[in-house]
Amino acid sequence: MADLIKGGSFLISQVKPDQVYTPEDFSDLHKMVSDTVAGFIKEKVVPQIDAIEKMEDGVAVALLRQLGELGLLGTEIPEKYGGAEADKISSLLIAEQMSRGGSLSLVFGAHTGIGTLPILFFGNEEQKKRYLPDLATGKKIAAYALTEADAGSDAMNAKTRAVLTEDGKHYVLNGSKQFITNAAWADVIVTYAKVDGEHFTSFIVDRDTPGVSIGAEEHKMGIKGSSTCSVIFEDAKVPVENLLGTIGKGHQVAFNILNIGRFKLGVGCLGAAKYALELSSQYAQERNQFNMPISKFGLIKNKIADMNIRTFITESICYRIGGLIQDVIETLDLSGDEAGQKIADAIQEYAIECSVAKIYGSEALDFVADEGVQIHGGYGYSQEYTIERIYRDSRINRIFEGTNEINRLIIPATLMRKAQKGEIPLIQAAMKLQEELLTPTMQDESDELLAKEEQAIENLKKIFLLIAGSAAQKYGEKLIREQEILARMADMVDEIFGAESALLRTRKIIAAKGEEAGSLAAKMTTCYVNGLVPKFDVWAKEVIAAMEEGDTKRTLFSILRKLTKFEQDNVFVMKREIADAVYAKNKYVVI
Amino acid sequence: MIVCIKQVPDTTDVKIDPEKGTLIREGVPSIVNPFDKNAVEAALKIREEKGGKVTVITMGPPQAVDALRECLAMGADDAILLSDRAFASSDTWATSYTLAMGIKKVGNPDIIFCGKQAIDGDTAQVGPGIAEHLGLPQVTYVQKIKEVKEDGMIVERSIEGGYEVVSVGMPVMIAVDKSINEPRFPTMMGTMKAHKKEIPTWGLAELGADEDKLGMNGSPTRVKRIFAPERKGQGEMIQGDDESEVCALLIEKLRDKKVV
């Protein structure tokens, strides 16, 4: 494990381009898998999208079962339980393509992700044998029931109770779960209850267990074709064999699964963003105003370019994380019964990155979908156009799998914990920075392509360390109460990871294919970093002003001035070129 | 069974160069000719019922291997790529000769399946050409396979306004229409297996073919001119509140044109 990159370590170390995985590294197999799913969506799902959205009887379930027959529900399941046991990148590509299927992607995601993975990762051999083959083929459909009416973000506050029967053969569950995706169709529900009202524990509940009932469908803003209902347990007798993991360790199951869920959510958002951009580019080139296609106007080009850039950053983030997880999984001995647990632990290492993917992906999609509607003008507000649905469907992504606010708190909390445990030398790096900042140094001014951007990202990392170090010193353990500061720290982590992923990917493209092939990616990286530096300036000032007064404040401000020194480039001209490249292919473009 | 396939540009994505009148192929994704997928599906269905083996074969540049892999992912057992500089610029006659030589080398199939035509050239000549080169009977535009027997088969062949039922002996070349079936999607397992499968490439040397019958030398077709047909007048949609209004408008227009 020595060579593996530690989760969160990107903040304090220099990562080299060949250490990051990028979409340019996809194998022929990855492309085949991606094309197969894209073909299925185009031919089977898109023609039925209205029926799915109207929740016409059985349409979504039938499509899910067809996906099962094609082996696409079991890509992460080992062959011995009827899965395809494909690599992580393949499963990400499937998730990305699925997002073009509207609500079906939710049905798919809830089933294959949070529904199936708890059993795969934490189930015992008997449970895996009993459930996984049917989940892999879609014979059975899974749901995941964690949220309760009064336990949303505060999941541990669950009221659902489990009591062992006198004969020791069953747990009797009482309580109800809220907003459960796939509830109406599920055969298997992974849920949580407190044993004796105290020990938070995970259970696998069969839908046909007496005492389990499903509430009415929620009338949602978007993702209307997915089923979302409450699940009610009234003296539901669940066999003791269905206890998942260990009594009192339900939080381990819940949080591990959420890590993967968050990461995959980012990937799903990526697919939807590409789709929205494609539709917007097509529309802009077809729509004439003032005797010319609106695509020719500078303001539309500016939007198209920003959409492409945000999508590029999201894609670079998602597959970089995919590569990190893939690398660590490849080092594991997965022959034993503990294989699933080992994979879950490996993903846990990248909890910070998973939250970054969730926050960045969902906010990028919101931006892209919103600008997509804007480009469509009045037609974008009409349900006749797909962009309207994408806009509505996008909104939930900032809410579920842990709200973006919760994820913004998780990032610095996890980072501080890793620092305290000595897993990443954050404190040492912060101290070293303080020394460095006190000694005046000249920064190298290199003419090399992207040297300025690289330097800027290095400085952004220093700003983060400055803020995080000062905040930790000032508040110590009580930092947890300063949510506004924590969220700003998370914003910085998010953007540093994004900008750095784009930079490294661009460098990797240039190294492999030359400067010309990398010129578009380089322009995107430059434009993005140009926008980022002033953002960090504001964020850091807000935090400094909230924490310090007098001389300390002034000293920090003056350090910040040095670190945010950046000569603005002409981004307007670059963005016009980026937009023209999108128009030429009528879709998201990098090379 | 041997299925002949072709890798073609996805014509739903193709644009025409307005000056040269030719297809702009750059950046257009390549796909398996849709009718050929029907041919693969037909062969796979027979294999499921009667057993046997399905080999897909194509002539094309090295990247045509992607098309073969897609057919392997659908379930074909083997794939062979015929690729050689000597095959370049073949017309349909030289192409069908080359494929016929490839088929001979594979062995003696009971059925050779082809799609009725390719969506890029639309000639529908290669399948019949193969049958001629091999001296085999052929049935084109097949819309249904009614029965497969030990030494022959009964099929339905679509003709204008109806269909013919044809009883034919084996070996035979069958060119299928789109209506014959709905091609299956590759499964995840099939895709992974296809990815690992080795696909042999046979060139001039391996086929032992007559060089004069290949490529440019073996192609009697000469293209005189390529042009985009002039746009004919556009149709007109007549709209109205109800049928009677639409009919009245239509009659008025027909009278104006002195049709009625």
Side-chain angles (χ1 to χ4, degrees):
Chain A
M1 303 266 288
D3 293 322
L4 292 172
I5 295 174
K6 284 264 173 203
S9 68
F10 64 92
L11 288 164
I12 48 163
S13 57
Q14 266 202 326
V15 184
K16 293 191 180 68
D18 58 6
Q19 287 177 296
V20 295
Y21 189 85
T22 72
E24 287 68 47
D25 299 318
F26 291 154
S27 68
D28 289 345
L29 174 62
H30 292 142
K31 286 173 198 153
M32 266 178 96
V33 170
S34 180
D35 287 350
T36 301
V37 183
F40 183 85
I41 298 288
K42 196 172 153 191
E43 285 178 40
K44 298 282 181 190
V45 182
V46 171
Q48 297 205 73
I49 211 97
D50 286 342
I52 295 171
E53 293 308 305
K54 286 180 193 144
M55 286 193 91
E56 280 179 22
D57 251 2
V59 176
V61 171
L63 284 167
L64 193 71
R65 298 227 153 96
Q66 283 183 48
L67 285 165
E69 283 163 21
L70 295 177
L72 291 167
L73 301 181
T75 47
E76 295 185 64
I77 297 175
E79 273 179 27
K80 65 172 171 174
Y81 306 117
E85 207 170 346
D87 70 344
K88 198 81 206 157
I89 302 294
S90 296
S91 77
L92 298 181
L93 282 163
I94 294 169
E96 192 194 316
Q97 289 293 351
M98 282 302 302
S99 65
R100 289 174 181 245
S103 296
L104 187 70
S105 69
L106 268 291
V107 182
F108 171 85
H111 172 79
T112 57
I114 52 182
T116 299
L117 294 181
I119 301 173
L120 176 62
F121 289 163
F122 298 96
N124 58 37
E125 185 60 22
E126 189 274 327
Q127 289 167 338
K128 287 186 213 175
K129 273 190 191 152
R130 188 147 48 101
Y131 288 104
L132 293 180
D134 286 348
L135 293 174
T137 55
K139 196 174 159 194
K140 284 189 175 167
I141 295 175
Y144 180 80
L146 171 64
T147 298
E148 293 185 8
D150 295 321
S153 296
D154 185 10
M156 296 304 116
N157 189 35
K159 299 280 190 295
T160 303
R161 294 166 61 102
V163 179
L164 192 64
T165 51
E166 272 183 21
D167 61 6
K169 287 183 181 167
H170 290 87
Y171 281 98
V172 178
L173 266 60
N174 276 292
S176 75
K177 301 285 172 179
Q178 188 85 357
F179 302 136
I180 307 311
T181 307
N182 283 356
W185 308 318
D187 305 288
V188 181
I189 302 161
V190 172
T191 193
Y192 299 86
K194 283 185 174 165
V195 172
D196 302 329
E198 209 174 316
H199 310 289
F200 192 71
T201 305
S202 184
F203 292 91
I204 308 167
V205 180
D206 293 317
R207 166 67 183 88
D208 55 13
T209 307
V212 177
S213 59
I214 306 296
E217 282 290 343
E218 296 288 343
H219 297 290
K220 305 188 292 285
M221 176 192 289
I223 54 168
K224 286 175 180 284
S226 63
S227 163
T228 311
C229 316
S230 55
V231 175
I232 302 132
F233 304 114
E234 279 171 308
D235 291 331
K237 277 172 85 178
V238 178
V240 287
E241 298 85 53
N242 281 23
L243 191 144
L244 185 61
T246 316
I247 294 176
K249 301 274 183 185
H251 60 284
Q252 282 183 357
V253 181
F255 294 148
N256 265 304
I257 294 308
L258 281 175
N259 279 327
I260 306 156
R262 281 165 188 156
F263 172 39
K264 283 258 180 96
L265 184 146
V267 177
C269 289
L270 169 64
K274 286 183 185 177
Y275 192 26
L277 174 56
E278 217 169 284
L279 295 170
S280 304
S281 167
Q282 285 163 9
Y283 182 84
Q285 296 196 76
E286 282 163 14
R287 168 78 174 164
N288 282 299
Q289 287 290 278
F290 306 103
N291 295 320
M292 61 201 272
I294 61 167
S295 58
K296 305 246 186 220
F297 294 115
L299 283 184
I300 301 293
K301 285 191 178 185
N302 198 67
K303 289 186 195 301
I304 291 283
D306 280 334
M307 290 159 83
N308 202 63
I309 294 169
R310 291 288 290 270
T311 309
F312 172 63
I313 309 279
T314 310
E315 187 180 54
S316 306
I317 288 175
C318 287
Y319 288 100
R320 180 179 177 185
I321 301 172
L324 288 169
I325 294 173
Q326 179 75 25
D327 282 351
V328 60
I329 288 175
E330 275 171 12
T331 64
L332 302 174
D333 172 13
L334 299 177
S335 54
D337 287 348
E338 301 297 303
Q341 173 78 53
K342 283 183 191 170
I343 294 175
D345 289 346
I347 296 171
Q348 172 66 30
E349 172 66 32
Y350 300 109
I352 292 171
E353 284 82 354
C354 290
S355 286
V356 166
K358 198 272 173 180
I359 296 171
Y360 198 95
S362 61
E363 291 176 7
L365 175 58
D366 254 8
F367 170 80
V368 171
D370 184 81
E371 289 290 50
V373 169
Q374 196 67 16
I375 289 170
H376 280 71
Y379 294 100
Y381 204 68
S382 158
Q383 302 209 333
E384 292 273 307
Y385 284 79
T386 306
I387 194 75
E388 185 267 351
R389 176 177 59 70
I390 295 176
Y391 179 83
R392 276 186 292 107
D393 287 354
S394 167
R395 191 60 183 84
I396 188 63
N397 289 299
R398 280 164 50 204
I399 298 170
F400 59 17
E401 305 293 314
T403 61
N404 284 16
E405 288 68 30
I406 286 288
N407 273 284
R408 280 190 159 86
L409 300 178
I410 287 172
I411 290 173
T414 311
L415 204 58
M416 293 299 176
R417 200 165 53 240
K418 276 173 167 279
Q420 278 162 4
K421 281 193 197 164
E423 287 176 16
I424 48 172
L426 196 67
I427 298 154
Q428 294 86 322
M431 281 160 66
K432 197 176 141 221
L433 177 72
Q434 281 190 344
E435 282 169 32
E436 190 190 313
L437 293 172
L438 293 173
T439 37
T441 48
M442 285 293 287
Q443 284 181 359
D444 287 345
E445 300 231 345
S446 162
D447 288 338
E448 198 201 334
L449 185 66
L450 296 174
K452 193 171 90 170
E453 289 75 4
E454 186 176 330
Q455 182 61 56
I457 293 170
E458 278 310 302
N459 285 345
L460 299 183
K461 288 186 184 181
K462 285 178 186 169
I463 295 173
F464 170 76
L465 274 181
L466 182 74
I467 295 299
S470 308
Q473 258 179 356
K474 167 106 184 167
Y475 298 105
E477 295 285 310
K478 289 178 187 152
L479 180 56
I480 200 163
R481 292 187 201 155
E482 303 299 324
Q483 293 197 339
E484 299 92 327
I485 294 176
L486 293 173
R488 280 291 176 243
M489 285 165 63
D491 287 337
M492 291 182 184
V493 172
D494 217 37
E495 294 289 2
I496 288 168
F497 192 74
E500 187 186 63
S501 301
L503 174 80
L504 294 170
R505 179 175 174 193
T506 306
R507 283 254 155 94
K508 202 171 177 185
I509 294 172
I510 291 171
K513 298 178 178 162
E515 268 192 27
E516 203 188 319
S519 74
L520 191 65
K523 281 185 197 118
M524 291 198 276
T525 306
T526 300
C527 285
Y528 198 72
V529 172
N530 266 274
L532 215 47
V533 177
K535 266 195 205 170
F536 269 63
D537 188 34
V538 174
W539 291 343
K541 277 181 183 154
E542 284 175 354
V543 176
I544 293 168
M547 285 193 308
E548 305 292 351
E549 285 176 345
D551 283 349
T552 321
K553 184 165 102 173
R554 276 188 290 276
T555 312
L556 287 172
F557 276 164
S558 89
I559 295 170
L560 187 64
R561 250 194 311 280
K562 279 184 215 156
L563 292 174
T564 51
K565 211 179 120 205
F566 186 85
E567 195 183 314
Q568 175 77 30
D569 298 292
N570 182 354
V571 293
F572 293 163
V573 68
M574 280 187 270
K575 286 187 183 179
R576 285 184 178 193
E577 288 166 5
I578 295 164
D580 287 337
V582 174
Y583 294 149
K585 292 202 172 158
N586 236 338
K587 61 178 184 184
Y588 166 70
V589 57
V590 176
I591 295 175
Chain B
M1 288 170 279
I2 295 182
V3 187
C4 303
I5 67 150
K6 183 179 186 185
Q7 188 180 46
V8 294
D10 189 348
T11 49
T12 53
D13 268 4
V14 164
K15 287 181 186 167
I16 300 206
D17 185 325
E19 280 164 27
K20 293 184 202 149
T22 50
L23 298 180
I24 303 171
R25 291 210 177 192
E26 198 185 319
V28 178
S30 294
I31 55 168
V32 177
N33 178 41
F35 298 111
D36 300 349
K37 280 199 186 174
N38 295 105
V40 173
E41 178 65 35
L44 293 175
K45 279 223 170 84
I46 293 177
R47 186 187 67 184
E48 278 161 14
E49 281 171 27
K50 307 274 176 186
K53 194 174 150 185
V54 177
T55 302
V56 282
I57 189 165
T58 191
M59 186 191 93
Q63 62 266 28
V65 82
D66 293 342
L68 290 171
R69 281 204 200 284
E70 195 176 331
C71 300
L72 287 171
M74 283 173 74
D77 301 286
D78 282 311
I80 289 146
L81 173 67
L82 307 180
S83 193
D84 197 308
R85 281 182 174 277
F87 304 159
S89 306
S90 295
D91 68 359
T92 54
W93 183 243
T95 301
S96 47
Y97 169 73
T98 313
L99 284 165
M101 292 304 286
I103 291 165
K104 261 191 193 170
K105 188 173 157 67
V106 175
N108 298 312
D110 295 314
I111 311 170
I112 299 162
F113 276 109
C114 294
K116 73 166 180 181
Q117 66 197 52
I119 57 167
D120 54 353
D122 281 331
T123 66
Q125 291 169 353
V126 171
I130 292 169
E132 287 304 310
H133 280 297
L134 294 172
L136 298 179
Q138 54 174 291
V139 189
T140 51
Y141 304 103
V142 170
Q143 61 175 18
K144 192 173 183 183
I145 294 169
K146 293 185 74 119
E147 199 183 342
V148 180
K149 297 178 286 190
E150 199 58 37
D151 55 351
M153 56 203 291
I154 299 171
V155 299
E156 274 180 24
R157 157 175 208 272
S158 94
I159 53 169
E160 212 171 319
Y163 63 86
E164 293 174 342
V165 178
V166 181
S167 175
V168 65
M170 282 190 214
V172 59
M173 193 295 295
I174 302 280
V176 304
D177 184 49
K178 192 179 166 54
S179 58
I180 190 168
N181 56 37
E182 197 182 331
R184 67 193 65 188
F185 276 92
T187 64
M188 188 70 196
M189 265 79 122
T191 304
M192 289 170 74
K193 228 165 91 184
H195 178 66
K196 285 186 203 143
K197 182 98 184 168
E198 211 162 296
I199 298 176
T201 303
W202 294 346
L204 176 60
E206 286 83 2
L207 289 185
D210 181 347
E211 208 167 340
D212 288 340
K213 292 185 178 175
L214 295 171
M216 186 76 104
N217 295 341
S219 298
T221 314
R222 291 290 171 268
V223 178
K224 281 185 77 174
R225 186 162 75 98
I226 297 173
F227 61 96
E230 261 180 53
R231 204 189 170 100
K232 291 178 188 165
Q234 269 189 328
E236 187 187 341
M237 284 290 285
I238 298 171
Q239 282 172 344
D241 289 338
D242 54 36
E243 287 160 22
S244 60
E245 192 189 331
V246 172
C247 284
L249 279 168
L250 176 63
I251 289 166
E252 198 177 308
K253 280 188 187 289
L254 292 173
R255 280 195 179 131
D256 281 353
K257 306 242 176 208
K258 304 212 174 350
V259 180
V260 289

